[in-house]
Amino acid sequence: MFNWLKSRSSGVLLHPTMLPSRQGIGTLGASARQFADALADARVGYWQVCPLGPTGFGDSPYQCFSSFAGNPFLVDFESLAEQGFLDAADLEPFAALPRDHVEYGALWSVFHACADKLYGNVKKDPALLTRLGDFATFRRDNAYWLEGYALYTALKKHFDGAPWYAWPANARRFESAAKAKWGAGVLAEKEKTEIVQFIFFAQWRELRGHARSRGVKIVGDVPIFTALDSADVWQNPGIFQIDKKTAEPLAVAGVPPDYFSATGQLWGNPLYDWAALKKTGYAWWIARLRACFALYDVVRIDHFRAFYDYWRIPAGAPDARTGEWVLGPGLEFFDRVRRALGNAQLIAEDLGDMNDGVRKLLADTGLPGMAVLQFAFGGDPKNLYLPHNIGANTIVYPGTHDNNTVVGWYASAAEHERDFFRRYLWTDGNEPHWALVNAALKSHARLAVISVQDLLGLGAEARFNEPGTELKNWRWRLSDADFARFRADVVPRLRELVEISGRA
């Protein structure tokens, strides 16, 4: 059905929030362009990112306030100051934010104070926006999601951050909220959100164009589920398993006990009403994927197995151990995607406990799956993740954003794993990260993607996310020194491995 991954290539995984900047978080500014240049210098063809949406509780890019909007924190204010949108003094409060990690609470207040100044300047001089494109066209072309997201954001502020299902009755449904008379504060916040989104997409378009000019494509990521407190659910409750009277989920998403957690992972997302979606020809999902392909060249579908069957956890359950597998839409969904989007360049995240039905669905779609080398070294030569067992239609990773770094993993692995690792890869274990990078690049998998932390040989302190936990995730950032080391020292070594493994 889908058949796009035909040649050997390589990629690097780095979420933009990790980049150095003077804004307390990585942005779409100068360091992002420098990173794309570094990949081009290494003859690496892909830059993989996590979802770029506006993050909600826990700051996870997999729990966004919208499946269509961009993360406003990624907007580069420095270039906006250079273009006359802001004064240099407006950026001074960012200097108090840490450089080695993202402190989201402090960032929120500093960011919005600066965004308010930006909005005030644009209101005084609307011609400023023409430097970035046609704002009216942007609003018209994206009205199907922008109207809902901007009003949702404004009302969320108006109601002191409460989730939409706790708002007054006239605001709890998008249709009634859109017809209600709101004060000047709500309308201004709505317009500010629309302007910030316009700027985000203008800056992303420029960054993506720069990367493309250097021969670097973007691999994006679409979470399988949406957050309950999101514009998606507020605007489209009919496509989710939600009680129509109370607006509470009938059941929630997660996974049973696995490698990452003995009690499973209770994600808490509302589940899709696949029967309702089918009646629309899966229109919302098609629109979601079409929006993704407007941002990215390749799209990874997180938790692919949920299209075959998903873990349905009763609402109110204390953890994910109580649940049942329920069938999803299966191949019919991907038939519809193929008809709407053609030979879409999709990746199926098929990690974890897979059954024969999931494996058959993956084979029937033709989509490339994933392999993680950190899972390979239990001692069984038949392990599917060992390099000699990995098929060509696969994306191979030493580790993903959910794994420890290779150095951190090797330091904490059982001795029998480390022994098998050393014997299998014919290494003394002094540079385990380069041993796995080399193994990934030399494997049969057509695309090998390596995290920036593993290329730098960083330890567990550089882990980006630990599934099943809530503290200190998604905060890690590259230091200026490590970014410089990546560009000066890592790129030449990576380039040599990319070339000799036939991936340039």
Side-chain angles (χ1 to χ4, degrees):
M1 184 184 296
F2 298 97
N3 180 26
W4 65 270
L5 188 59
K6 297 180 179 180
S7 59
R8 289 174 66 79
S9 54
S10 61
V12 174
L13 170 60
L14 175 140
H15 194 50
T17 62
M18 298 177 179
L19 288 163
S21 83
R22 290 183 286 188
Q23 286 184 212
I25 192 170
T27 72
L28 306 181
S31 61
R33 292 189 295 275
Q34 290 166 1
F35 183 72
D37 290 338
L39 297 186
D41 292 343
R43 303 193 70 184
V44 167
Y46 291 94
W47 174 1
Q48 182 170 334
V49 301
C50 296
L52 294 177
T55 56
F57 176 76
D59 311 307
S60 169
Y62 295 87
Q63 295 280 359
C64 291
F65 287 132
S66 169
S67 294
F68 298 86
N71 187 344
F73 289 154
L74 294 174
V75 168
D76 176 33
F77 283 136
E78 290 191 86
S79 66
L80 292 175
E82 293 170 0
Q83 293 171 289
F85 286 81
L86 293 162
D87 295 327
D90 295 331
L91 277 59
E92 290 177 359
F94 286 105
L97 299 175
R99 296 286 291 265
D100 62 340
H101 69 282
V102 184
E103 198 64 56
Y104 281 97
L107 173 64
W108 191 93
S109 58
V110 175
F111 173 88
H112 284 286
C114 192
D116 287 341
K117 291 181 179 179
L118 170 68
Y119 175 62
N121 293 339
V122 169
K123 289 298 287 182
K124 292 176 185 175
D125 183 6
L128 281 171
L129 288 180
T130 62
R131 300 175 186 180
L132 300 176
D134 189 332
F135 179 50
T137 299
F138 172 80
R139 292 179 72 185
R140 183 185 67 244
D141 292 348
N142 295 280
Y144 68 97
W145 65 265
L146 184 61
E147 278 288 322
Y149 172 69
L151 183 56
Y152 163 88
T153 301
L155 291 177
K156 192 168 183 64
K157 181 179 180 180
H158 180 68
F159 295 122
D160 298 319
W164 64 264
Y165 43 85
W167 295 349
N170 70 324
R172 215 172 294 152
R173 291 281 186 260
F174 167 70
E175 291 80 2
S176 58
K179 296 175 183 176
K181 301 293 185 182
W182 300 105
V186 169
L187 298 179
E189 189 66 25
K190 178 176 180 289
E191 186 179 32
K192 184 186 83 172
T193 297
E194 293 171 341
I195 288 171
V196 171
Q197 286 298 304
F198 171 68
I199 294 170
F200 170 90
F201 283 98
Q203 290 188 344
W204 177 256
R205 184 172 62 250
E206 182 180 350
L207 174 60
R208 186 184 176 194
H210 177 79
R212 184 178 291 170
S213 73
R214 298 300 314 275
V216 176
K217 296 180 179 180
I218 306 292
V219 179
D221 203 332
V222 56
I224 178 68
F225 297 115
T226 66
L228 174 61
D229 185 17
S230 67
D232 300 307
V233 182
W234 180 62
Q235 195 172 359
N236 307 280
I239 64 173
F240 296 93
Q241 295 182 33
I242 289 177
D243 187 292
K244 302 304 183 283
K245 293 182 179 179
T246 66
E248 294 179 354
L250 300 172
V252 295
V255 290
D258 60 8
Y259 169 87
F260 292 108
S261 174
T263 58
Q265 297 177 45
L266 180 61
W267 298 334
N269 307 76
L271 296 164
Y272 296 108
D273 184 338
W274 285 113
L277 277 162
K278 181 178 179 178
K279 291 178 182 178
T280 69
Y282 305 102
W284 183 86
W285 256 102
I286 298 298
R288 189 186 193 194
L289 289 174
R290 184 173 281 115
C292 284
F293 280 108
L295 286 175
Y296 316 119
D297 299 285
V298 181
V299 175
R300 189 192 84 126
I301 300 178
D302 189 54
H303 198 54
F304 169 84
R305 81 159 293 164
F307 288 100
Y308 176 75
D309 58 2
Y310 56 90
W311 190 243
R312 189 177 191 271
I313 306 166
D319 58 47
R321 287 177 291 184
T322 56
E324 60 177 342
W325 290 111
V326 179
L327 288 177
L331 191 62
E332 178 187 56
F333 172 82
F334 291 98
D335 281 333
R336 178 68 65 170
V337 172
R338 172 75 193 212
R339 277 184 275 167
L341 302 179
N343 190 26
Q345 297 189 22
L346 295 166
I347 296 170
E349 186 274 291
D350 60 337
L351 304 174
D353 183 23
M354 298 294 123
N355 58 37
D356 288 342
V358 182
R359 285 188 280 269
K360 185 177 187 305
L361 178 61
L362 182 64
D364 288 345
T365 63
L367 294 176
M370 291 173 52
V372 175
L373 297 183
Q374 285 185 33
F375 299 151
F377 299 99
D380 183 353
K382 295 181 181 179
N383 186 301
L384 294 176
Y385 295 146
L386 283 169
H388 68 267
N389 291 325
I390 296 174
N393 195 33
T394 306
I395 322 297
V396 63
Y397 301 77
T400 72
H401 62 274
D402 283 333
N403 294 103
N404 202 341
T405 66
V406 169
V407 170
W409 163 78
Y410 184 76
S412 62
E415 180 53 34
H416 75 275
E417 284 187 272
R418 290 190 289 185
D419 175 66
F420 190 80
F421 172 91
R422 291 189 296 264
R423 289 187 293 117
Y424 183 89
L425 295 176
W426 207 248
T427 178
D428 60 9
N430 284 332
E431 286 190 316
H433 53 297
W434 280 114
L436 271 198
V437 168
N438 188 46
L441 292 170
K442 302 290 178 57
S443 72
H444 293 297
R446 292 198 180 107
L447 177 54
V449 178
I450 303 120
S451 74
V452 71
Q453 296 100 308
D454 289 335
L455 288 168
L456 286 162
L458 301 179
E461 74 284 351
R463 183 169 186 166
F464 198 44
N465 180 49
E466 186 174 355
T469 67
E470 295 180 358
L471 298 177
K472 298 184 178 179
N473 288 328
W474 315 111
R475 297 172 11 127
W476 179 82
R477 294 179 67 196
L478 270 169
S479 68
D480 291 309
D482 277 336
F483 190 44
R485 182 163 65 89
F486 177 81
R487 296 163 66 196
D489 300 334
V490 172
V491 164
R493 188 170 183 178
L494 178 59
R495 176 180 177 128
E496 182 177 18
L497 289 175
V498 165
E499 290 176 341
I500 64 177
S501 59
R503 298 182 182 274

